[in-house]
Amino acid sequence: MKLFPLFADLNGRPALVVGGGAVAERKTLALLEAGAAVTVGAPGLTPALAALAADGRIHHHPGRFDPAWLDAVWLVVAATDDTGVNREVSETAEARRLFCNVVDDPALSSFQVPSIVDRSPVIVAISSSGVAPVLARRLRERIESLFDHTLGQLAGLAERYRQRIRAGHPDLGARRRFYDWLLDGPVAGLLRQQRPDQAEAALATALDQPLRPAEGSVVLVGAGPGDPGLLTLKALRALNEADVIMYDRLVSDDIMALARRDATRVSVGKQPGEDHHATQARIHALLVEHARAGRRVVRLKGGDAFIFGRGGEELEYLREHGVRYEVVPGITAALACAAYAGIPLTHREHAQSVRLVTAHCRDDEDNLDWPALAREKQTLAFYMGVGQLDALSRRLISHGRAPDTPFALIENGSRPEQRVLSGAVKDLPDLARAHGIRSPALLIVGEVAGLASRLQWFGSHIDGGQGDGQPQRLAA
Ligand code: SAH
């Protein structure tokens, strides 16, 4: 180990920053955050540093570096762009046995400032011993994504209740189990829901009772359309913490690869011979069974769980059965497919609203408001429409939408095999058949769909023209 890691208490202690530029400003702000009494020595200051000096929040030594500046300080940072001055500061500090950091110069530094993940009071510090700062920053980003921002609040709560927890659970094993409960259970959940008062009340109540067995919970997570880069940080954390993951057919393998390795994975897609009702009943029963066994269950759905995802039904069932739950939104297919096909869903002139529609056009199920759907100046996004393109195209036109209204049909949106087929709505069924478009695919109808040929940037694009052999353009 080349450097000894150390967390210094600078609260109220004088520290010196030499230099008055942007880098010095950053270092000054960091030192102030730790409560140091900062003096900045430099001929001139950035406006922000000058404002801090004017407010009396820092002290300013004007002029060139003077060794006397080191007289009363605990720590020195040299942040000038003059190597000579930096060296002089470093050597003077060395002679006085003061720790000195010269920014970006490990050879002249007797201490280094790590990259940090700040969830105060918890701080994770990362150092590459000055060898590869870029690597340290990368690591920092990775670690940053792992921990929810409420971790600091949780640690603060644990600190305040430390004595009471110790008194209530004198046995070390029991105390460990209590802390596990605190970190994984309802207290952490309530903090994530931004209910600090209820979190504290839950902790206080639990302290007065014997330790209960672990309480399970369900997180309903939207996995997005397929590209794992479209997962939210919260979704990733939930996947990392899950004991059981119940996932749908639409969830991509790339996303499952990111989940905790020893989580039990249960595929809960529709089984042969089962109707929707039976599938849903089986899923409900499984969710409650796992949660009641004290497990952390992630219910993972394609796109967003509340957009044609039956998320509402599952939550109602959990509520009825007293199972705690959280919801993490996902990027729904309409948003992802539009983005990955270069189609803005709204447009100042051509589309003032967007409708997300489920394409059930079979006569016995069709209760869509076709006259409203056929109106101009709106964008329609049809889910689950691949089997119904004939009816969709026919009904839109018969209710008044212009036959040459552009459409874009996005197959496997955001996945490596994405294809976008665009054309005029009157040609939609023929074009889709000719190119063999299969589910999952999302249909976008409206003037904005015409932009796909020009703005496409991902996957492959098939331009079906406007029926007159011309590629279509959005009218200026
Ligand atoms: N809850 C999901 C939708 C489920 S319904 C969401 O919010 O996205 C299933 C339909 O979503 C599919 O029939 C298809 O129309 C659409 N869909 C889902 N993923 C898709 C993808 N990667 N590309 C294109 N369409 C997709």
Side-chain angles (χ1 to χ4, degrees):
M1 188 159 66
K2 198 172 145 205
L3 299 174
F4 180 74
L6 143 98
F7 287 87
D9 182 358
L10 291 183
N11 197 30
R13 301 204 158 108
L16 173 71
V17 175
V18 183
V23 179
E25 179 183 314
R26 266 203 323 273
K27 300 294 166 188
T28 301
L29 291 175
L31 287 165
L32 283 176
E33 214 165 300
V38 184
T39 296
V40 176
L45 299 179
T46 64
L49 284 173
L52 286 171
D55 285 352
R57 296 190 50 211
I58 60 173
H59 183 69
H60 180 205
H61 283 318
R64 198 184 176 282
F65 173 63
D66 178 346
W69 291 355
L70 295 180
D71 283 352
V73 304
W74 288 68
L75 196 86
V76 187
V77 175
T80 80
D81 49 12
D82 182 327
T83 330
V85 172
N86 285 347
R87 177 175 297 281
E88 194 183 336
V89 176
S90 163
E91 284 167 0
T92 317
E94 181 77 23
R96 299 204 190 179
R97 298 184 190 173
L98 279 176
F99 275 117
C100 175
N101 172 260
V102 178
V103 176
D104 284 339
D105 195 338
L108 287 183
S109 299
S110 52
F111 80 91
Q112 275 159 33
V113 184
S115 296
I116 63 162
V117 176
D118 187 357
R119 300 285 188 275
S120 284
V122 176
I123 296 172
V124 182
I126 304 132
S127 165
S128 65
S129 306
V131 176
V134 178
L135 178 66
R137 274 203 293 279
R138 284 274 168 85
L139 270 174
R140 189 196 74 81
E141 286 163 18
R142 293 291 291 273
I143 295 172
E144 184 79 63
S145 71
L146 290 177
F147 300 106
D148 194 86
H149 278 79
T150 56
L151 182 73
Q153 278 173 284
L154 190 60
L157 208 54
E159 183 193 15
R160 268 189 286 131
Y161 279 80
R162 191 167 166 179
Q163 295 306 335
R164 287 185 57 190
I165 294 172
R166 180 179 282 269
H169 299 285
D171 170 61
L172 184 62
R175 197 151 69 237
R176 285 223 177 103
R177 282 200 301 284
F178 188 82
Y179 275 111
D180 281 339
W181 171 86
L182 183 63
L183 297 178
D184 297 331
V187 175
L190 286 164
L191 285 176
R192 280 195 297 271
Q193 292 165 31
Q194 327 247 321
R195 294 180 180 162
D197 295 344
Q198 289 181 31
E200 182 157 0
L203 171 55
T205 313
L207 270 173
D208 297 335
Q209 295 167 348
L211 200 58
R212 276 171 302 159
E215 192 189 333
S217 63
V218 174
V219 195
L220 187 57
V221 177
D227 178 350
L230 295 180
L231 276 180
T232 63
L233 289 178
K234 280 205 167 203
L236 188 60
R237 285 180 200 130
L239 287 174
N240 270 311
E241 289 166 7
D243 298 314
V244 179
I245 301 171
M246 288 173 51
Y247 63 99
D248 282 348
R249 196 175 37 85
L250 266 182
V251 174
S252 73
D253 295 344
D254 290 346
I255 283 172
M256 290 307 291
L258 295 174
R260 189 176 144 205
R261 298 231 176 274
D262 46 4
T264 309
R265 292 147 196 248
V266 187
S267 166
V268 292
K270 197 162 169 285
Q271 287 174 359
E274 204 180 40
D275 66 8
H276 275 303
H277 203 74
T279 311
Q280 208 53 43
R282 181 165 50 82
I283 294 171
H284 289 170
L286 271 174
L287 283 171
V288 169
E289 181 190 320
H290 284 300
R292 285 205 172 142
R295 301 184 189 115
R296 283 169 297 187
V297 183
V298 164
R299 173 72 178 108
L300 193 61
K301 287 167 175 279
D304 180 89
F306 282 177
I307 304 282
F308 308 127
R310 295 181 167 242
E313 293 166 44
E314 292 179 13
L315 290 199
E316 279 187 49
Y317 193 85
L318 294 173
R319 169 142 298 230
E320 275 165 28
H321 290 77
V323 173
R324 205 159 51 82
Y325 57 77
E326 291 175 43
V327 183
V328 178
I331 296 191
T332 189
L335 297 188
C337 290
Y340 278 61
I343 299 171
L345 288 171
T346 66
H347 187 283
R348 213 152 39 85
E349 288 150 40
H350 300 286
Q352 278 87 41
S353 68
V354 186
R355 286 178 187 244
L356 308 186
V357 191
T358 164
H360 284 309
C361 309
R362 285 207 313 270
D363 286 335
D364 53 336
E365 288 186 23
D366 184 7
N367 41 27
L368 292 174
D369 182 356
W370 288 102
L373 290 176
R375 253 181 242 133
E376 290 190 332
K377 299 209 181 244
Q378 62 176 335
T379 307
L380 307 175
F382 287 100
Y383 289 69
M384 297 174 275
V386 176
Q388 340 232 2
L389 298 174
D390 278 297
L392 276 173
S393 157
R394 206 164 2 92
R395 295 220 172 134
L396 283 174
I397 294 170
S398 70
H399 285 88
R401 200 74 157 114
D404 60 356
T405 305
F407 80 84
L409 188 55
I410 301 118
E411 178 190 62
N412 284 311
S414 88
R415 301 173 182 214
E417 60 275 25
Q418 171 177 309
R419 286 198 298 169
V420 178
L421 169 67
S422 63
V425 82
K426 64 175 187 300
D427 303 327
L428 165 60
D430 290 342
L431 283 171
R433 250 190 308 276
H435 294 282
I437 301 287
R438 313 239 318 254
S439 182
L442 183 106
L443 173 67
I444 298 178
V445 177
E447 281 71 15
V448 290
L451 286 167
S453 0
R454 260 202 296 158
L455 300 183
Q456 55 116 344
W457 59 275
F458 184 85
S460 62
H461 182 246
I462 310 159
D463 193 337
Q466 276 184 309
D468 53 8
Q470 296 298 311
Q472 46 190 20
R473 287 274 176 269
L474 189 65

